[in-house]
Amino acid sequence: MNQLQQYQSVNRETGVIDADPHKLIQMLYDGLIERLATARGFILRQDFEAKNVFINKSIEILEGLRSFLDHDQGGELAANLDNLYQYMELQLFNANADNDADKVDEVIKLVKTVKDGWDEIRSEVMKS
């Protein structure tokens, strides 16, 4: 691991330790977008082994996000997010099988939309 990678790793670990639960979800969305973009790049370069690794990492993050949903308190919103995350996972399975960058693009757009909403919630909470 080069020095830049070591610094980034320590910086991420420190960010996780210092983050509140809302910030942790933001970090998961950021990491998901980053891995999806990387997977897309590997599809375009036809590096299918690396693509597979990053799509699988993306699916793991989606599964983590699903596990954080509180269906008791979240009600319909939690159910809708759960369904959306399941849809994203299915699209990524299909993107992986078909080497389809367009399906990855669709998931990236969906994640960005959800993240924008999550970021707005944080902005409102921080104003209070």
Side-chain angles (χ1 to χ4, degrees), residues 70-83:
D70 183 341
H71 290 275
D72 292 332
Q73 289 188 345
E76 185 179 348
L77 177 60
N80 289 341
L81 279 172
D82 191 40
N83 289 333

Side-chain angles (χ1 to χ4, degrees), residues 13-59:
E13 290 171 16
T14 302
V16 168
I17 291 169
D18 294 338
D20 60 75
H22 194 278
K23 182 67 177 172
L24 287 172
I25 299 297
Q26 282 181 309
M27 293 172 73
L28 285 172
Y29 284 133
D30 289 338
L32 178 56
I33 292 166
E34 180 181 315
R35 280 157 186 80
L36 288 168
T38 302
R40 183 184 186 285
F42 284 128
I43 289 172
L44 296 176
R45 287 191 292 281
Q46 298 185 358
D47 184 341
F48 301 125
E49 186 175 326
K51 171 245 1 180
N52 184 57
V53 168
F54 280 88
I55 285 183
N56 286 333
K57 287 180 182 201
S58 299
I59 290 169

Side-chain angles (χ1 to χ4, degrees), residues 90-110:
L90 179 61
Q91 288 302 94
L92 291 176
F93 281 120
N94 291 331
N96 203 11
D98 301 336
N99 296 312
D100 188 340
D102 290 338
K103 288 179 179 150
V104 176
D105 284 338
E106 178 187 1
V107 174
I108 290 170
K109 287 178 190 173
L110 290 170

